[in-house]
Amino acid sequence: MTFRARILGAAAGGGLPQWNCGCQNCNLARAGEIPAQSQSSLAVSANGTDWAILNASPDIRQQLADCPALHPTGLRDMPLRSVLVTNGDIDHVAGLLTLREMQPFTVYATSGIHDVLDANPIFSALNEKVVKRATIALEAPVEIAPGLIATLFAVPGKVPLYLEGDTVQTDLIGDQTVGVHLQAGETDAYYIPGCALMNDDLRARLNGAALVFFDGTLWQDDEMVLAGLGTKTGKRMGHMSMSGPDGSMAAFEPLEVGRKVYVHMNNTNPVLRPESDERAAAQAAGWTIGQDGMEITT
Ligand code: MLT
Ligand code: MN
Ligand code: ZN
C-alpha cells in the first residue's frame, strides 16, 4: 500500500492573498509575483482511489476542482469518503458547508470538536441522513478511508477564536486541538497543522517518523505585530513559530524525521516568498515548504 498526500491548501486562515490584507506577501501574490496559497487542508489516500480530507477549508470548492483525483467518477459519485477535522477553527470547518449536496461521507472528529459543530445549527445543512458524524476518541485507531488508519492525539492548542472567553489558555491539552497519525500498511505520516509548543509526548511520537506535516503559521512570534497588522503573537494564537530557540526548526533538529513539510502558513510568513532568506534557512534545516497542489507519496 502506498500513502499519498496532496496539499489542497498550504496557507493558514485568510489564505494568500487574504482579502483585506495589504502586506508585502499579499500584494506580491495579488500581482502574481509569488504563488497564491489557499487555506489549510490535506487530502490523503492509501489506495489512490478513495480519499479522506483532513480539514475542510473555506476554499474547498476550488481545491476540489483543482484536484483531478477528487473529481466525480459518475453522476453523483466521487472519491471522498470522509473529512476529518483537527480543531473547530473556521479555516478548518467552514468548508463543510460547501459539501452539503447530499453526498455521503463521514465527518470524523473528537467529541469536543463535534460539540462545537453540533452547537452550530448551520452545520445541519449536512443532512444527517447522508453525512454521518463519527466521534473518534484520542489514541483510538479508526479507518477513515479504505486501508487508511487515523489515530488522533492531543497537541497543545486553544479553543477556536470565536469561542475564546476573557482568559484563554493557549497550550491547552485536550480534545479541542489534535494531531493525526496516519497509517497505510507499513507506511505512516503525521499531520499537525496547529501546535502551540513541542512537549515530551510529541517529541517521543515524532521521533523516527517517516513524514510529518507541521504547523508553519509564522516565521517568528511577533511577525504580525512587526508587520503592523495587529497585536497578536503566534503564541497568543496557539501556534509555535518556525524560528527561534522555542521554534519548530529547533524543536525538530534533534529528531529523526524522514521528511518535514510545513503547512498552515500565515500570509505574513516570509517563507512564502520563494527567494527569501527565511525559506532558504528552513530548507537548509531540512524542511519542505508546502504549497497548493504538492503531492507527497511514501
Ligand atoms: C488559527 O489557526 O489560529 C485560526 O485559524 C485563526 C482564525 O480562526 O482565523
Ligand atoms: Mn488556522
Ligand atoms: Zn497579508
Side-chain angles (χ1 to χ4, degrees):
M1 204 153 319
T2 309
F3 173 77
R4 280 181 72 186
R6 177 181 167 110
I7 299 178
L8 296 181
L16 174 72
Q18 177 176 314
W19 71 281
N20 65 340
C21 190
C23 81
Q24 182 188 8
N25 284 356
C26 287
N27 288 338
L28 287 170
R30 247 178 238 110
E33 288 175 31
I34 62 173
Q37 307 294 340
S38 64
Q39 295 169 86
S40 179
S41 184
L42 188 75
V44 288
S45 176
N47 61 10
T49 307
D50 299 280
W51 291 78
I53 290 181
L54 311 182
N55 292 321
S57 100
D59 298 320
I60 196 166
R61 179 186 161 280
Q62 191 60 44
Q63 291 169 343
L64 293 176
D66 292 342
C67 179
L70 278 152
H71 286 176
T73 49
L75 257 186
R76 274 295 163 90
D77 292 329
M78 60 86 69
L80 177 67
R81 302 295 162 244
S82 65
V83 174
L84 187 156
V85 175
T86 64
N87 63 21
D89 285 355
I90 290 172
D91 55 346
H92 288 166
V93 302
L96 289 171
L97 299 174
T98 297
L99 305 179
R100 70 187 176 281
E101 314 289 357
M102 297 297 278
Q103 179 66 36
F105 66 96
T106 303
V107 179
Y108 288 107
T110 63
S111 78
I113 298 170
H114 271 306
D115 285 349
V116 173
L117 299 177
D118 293 348
N120 192 329
I122 198 169
F123 289 106
S124 61
L126 293 177
N127 189 320
E128 61 181 15
K129 294 197 180 73
V130 181
V131 179
K132 214 173 115 202
R133 298 194 194 185
T135 297
I136 308 193
L138 297 179
E139 314 295 346
V142 172
E143 188 172 22
I144 59 169
L148 186 64
I149 312 296
T151 308
L152 305 184
F153 53 92
V155 295
K158 66 167 185 66
V159 299
L161 182 58
Y162 58 88
L163 294 178
E164 285 185 5
D166 290 339
T167 57
V168 181
Q169 188 186 341
T170 56
D171 60 351
L172 197 67
I173 307 257
D175 74 350
Q176 291 276 342
T177 307
V178 299
V180 189
H181 182 210
L182 297 154
Q183 290 164 286
E186 297 298 297
T187 61
D188 71 338
Y190 285 84
Y191 172 63
I192 307 169
C195 182
L197 52 92
M198 178 68 77
N199 60 20
D200 288 342
D201 174 70
L202 203 49
R203 246 186 296 275
R205 267 178 216 277
L206 299 182
N207 200 21
L211 169 64
V212 178
F213 295 91
F214 198 77
D215 185 345
T217 306
L218 299 183
W219 171 255
Q220 66 186 71
D221 195 49
D222 57 356
E223 171 179 315
M224 292 175 62
V225 183
L226 289 178
L229 294 170
T231 55
K232 272 200 185 160
T233 61
K235 288 197 175 103
R236 175 61 187 79
M237 296 190 296
H239 295 289
M240 66 193 290
S241 298
M242 294 179 175
S243 65
D246 51 3
S248 52
M249 284 167 37
F252 274 78
E253 216 275 320
L255 304 183
E256 292 284 329
V257 174
R259 185 142 192 212
K260 304 176 281 194
V261 184
Y262 277 128
V263 291
H264 193 276
M265 283 158 290
N266 192 59
N267 52 64
T268 49
N269 194 323
V271 303
L272 291 167
R273 295 193 298 278
E275 307 305 329
S276 68
D277 292 345
E278 292 86 350
R279 187 186 188 99
Q283 286 170 335
W287 288 84
T288 297
I289 308 303
Q291 59 179 44
D292 285 21
M294 182 181 277
E295 294 209 8
I296 295 176
T297 303
T298 61

